[in-house]
Amino acid sequence: MKSKIHAAAGLIGFLAIGTFWSSTAISELFGSQETVVAVKTMILNGMWVLIPAMVIVGASGMAMGKRRRDPPAVAKKKRMPVIALNGLLILLPAAFYLQSKAAAGNFDTQFYLVQSLELVAGALNLTLMGFNIRDGLKMTGRLRRRQG
């Protein structure tokens, strides 16, 4: 049961960040300023889903993996602090900042610098979470480990 909750929370987190990232990129490239404001507001509202999902996946992962020493488990344990710190120190503050600036119609250099940082940090978290999903599938036997 714990593994199903862990997998569901991880997938929700991954899909939320992927949705935030792609919505941001599309709205910035092809949308109006009103669209960017709507996306930035949606992202802030989406934190009510993302943050609990990330807490659940982190806590359940720690509980299930505390005694594991196999390479995929060790790799996941190393990635999780990077994912968490990136989210808490870069992505969450950037979401508040960017929504505030966008809502005020202030699309200045600072906005685009922080927007660029947010896209890079989001891509990093997606990549690391993708590796964690892959390693989780290996650990459960749903994905075969490469031999040699």
Side-chain angles (χ1 to χ4, degrees), residues 6 10-11 13-14 17-18 21 54 57 72-87 90-91 119-137:
H6 178 75
L11 184 60
F14 183 80
I17 293 172
W21 196 95
M54 296 305 289
V57 77
V74 170
K76 287 179 71 147
K77 288 177 190 179
K78 287 181 180 177
R79 287 185 206 112
M80 277 313 296
V82 176
I83 293 168
L85 289 173
N86 190 20
I90 298 173
L91 294 172
L119 286 168
V120 170
L124 174 63
N125 267 14
L126 282 171
T127 301
L128 295 175
M129 291 170 74
F131 289 154
N132 278 1
I133 291 168
R134 178 203 61 201
D135 287 344
L137 291 171

